[in-house]
Amino acid sequence: MLSLFAALFSSVQAQSIYQELAEKGIEMAEENRLEEAEQYFQEALKVEPYNVKNALLFSNLGTVQRRMARYEDAIESYTLALNLLPYSVPVLLDRASLYVQAGETDKAFIDYCQVLDVDRENLEAYQMRAYIYLIRKDYKAARIDFNKVLQLDPSNYHARFGMATVYQDIKEYAQSLELLNALLMEYPEDAVLYVSRAGVEREMQQYEVALADLDRALELSPALVDAYLLRGDVLLSQDKKKGAREDFEKAIELGIPRADLQEQLRKCK
């Protein structure tokens, strides 16, 4: 009887310590003391390795590690959380976004599909799965998912932008321009939209209009590297080699590896 009482007391005491450590970890995370938060969460897991609440603890740990830019550790923590709670939509979305960031889009795709098995109206999952379909050049599937987002949220920026990209990729330029023009009416200070419209205009060989859009994009965002790259290509198409070279050199200055632009620089000679 005494041994049973001692075991019960020990269990209650361990749970109390577990709760205190977990709460302390949350407190440290809220104060942005991330290393301390991680330590408290890990200590709590050691105290109660089989506690049913550990899915939440692993998820919190993953979020702290993510904020410290330790993405592989964060993925591992989210995976441990999902081992305990495999249909947790928030954790699946967290892990999927990290997979996308790491370039592991096939793994992200699986997570987004699992989210949609649980929540058939999850905008983030439809939206991100559509972008993965774009990467795979599966334009039919991408359109289906973007359209699903627009059914749920007709004004959704990302889905409308995504549809414009789909139309550009399948060379339906008029539809792409229509969507981009509508977006620019709503977001006239969005430099990325000007670059995207310039890309369509370049495909249509409307070079002067494309250059005007790229100039506007760079007025709004002078460090937008995609604008320099595209403007360099457009200028090169017009045989304006000096200007093209200046834009490619600016892109290199902003972080594009020189080796990636060797062919373009060669054409500028």
Side-chain angles (χ1 to χ4, degrees), residues 131-165:
Y131 278 116
I132 293 172
Y133 280 132
L134 272 180
I135 293 169
R136 296 177 174 183
K137 300 187 184 304
D138 187 343
Y139 302 118
K140 181 179 180 180
R143 288 174 70 171
I144 290 171
D145 274 2
F146 282 135
N147 277 323
K148 182 63 177 179
V149 174
L150 292 171
Q151 288 173 17
L152 298 168
D153 178 14
S155 64
N156 187 280
Y157 172 99
H158 297 287
R160 293 158 71 194
F161 183 79
M163 285 296 291
T165 304

Side-chain angles (χ1 to χ4, degrees), residues 47-59:
V47 170
E48 286 280 340
Y50 305 109
N51 194 303
V52 294
K53 298 178 182 178
N54 281 350
L56 179 58
L57 211 56
F58 278 123
S59 177

Side-chain angles (χ1 to χ4, degrees), residues 32-79:
N32 208 36
R33 296 161 65 178
L34 301 180
E35 291 182 0
E36 293 173 71
E38 180 182 33
Q39 184 177 350
Y40 279 115
F41 288 141
Q42 289 174 337
E43 288 178 6
L45 289 165
K46 290 176 183 176
V47 170
E48 286 280 340
Y50 305 109
N51 194 303
V52 294
K53 298 178 182 178
N54 281 350
L56 179 58
L57 211 56
F58 278 123
S59 177
N60 288 340
L61 180 60
T63 299
V64 165
Q65 291 164 335
R66 180 178 194 159
R67 288 168 62 187
M68 292 192 288
R70 286 175 33 212
Y71 302 126
E72 290 184 8
D73 290 338
I75 287 173
E76 182 180 352
S77 294
Y78 288 140
T79 299

Side-chain angles (χ1 to χ4, degrees), residues 100-249:
V100 170
Q101 189 171 334
E104 298 186 74
T105 53
D106 288 343
K107 292 180 179 178
F109 180 84
I110 294 169
D111 279 353
Y112 288 127
C113 288
Q114 192 160 351
V115 168
L116 291 169
D117 286 341
V118 178
D119 178 5
R120 297 301 300 173
E121 296 191 350
N122 191 284
L123 287 175
E124 180 179 347
Y126 279 119
Q127 182 177 295
M128 294 306 300
R129 192 173 70 173
Y131 278 116
I132 293 172
Y133 280 132
L134 272 180
I135 293 169
R136 296 177 174 183
K137 300 187 184 304
D138 187 343
Y139 302 118
K140 181 179 180 180
R143 288 174 70 171
I144 290 171
D145 274 2
F146 282 135
N147 277 323
K148 182 63 177 179
V149 174
L150 292 171
Q151 288 173 17
L152 298 168
D153 178 14
S155 64
N156 187 280
Y157 172 99
H158 297 287
R160 293 158 71 194
F161 183 79
M163 285 296 291
T165 304
V166 169
Y167 283 127
Q168 180 182 359
D169 287 347
I170 63 177
K171 302 185 186 308
E172 294 184 12
Y173 300 128
Q175 292 92 326
S176 183
L177 283 177
E178 182 179 349
L179 285 168
L180 290 169
N181 288 338
L183 282 167
L184 277 164
M185 288 291 290
E186 296 176 42
Y187 306 97
E189 305 297 308
D190 189 329
V192 172
L193 290 175
Y194 286 102
V195 175
S196 296
R197 189 169 69 177
V200 178
E201 292 158 347
R202 190 269 305 269
E203 296 288 343
M204 299 173 71
Q205 298 185 353
Q206 297 178 0
Y207 298 131
E208 294 303 325
V209 181
L211 288 173
D213 271 347
L214 291 167
D215 289 345
R216 178 59 177 151
L218 289 169
E219 286 177 14
L220 293 166
S221 182
L224 188 57
V225 67
D226 287 344
Y228 288 106
L229 291 170
L230 183 54
R231 193 170 68 177
D233 284 338
V234 173
L235 290 171
L236 201 53
S237 298
Q238 296 180 307
D239 205 32
K240 297 177 180 178
K241 296 181 179 180
K242 183 177 182 294
R245 185 176 190 87
E246 288 174 356
D247 276 348
F248 293 137
E249 290 290 352

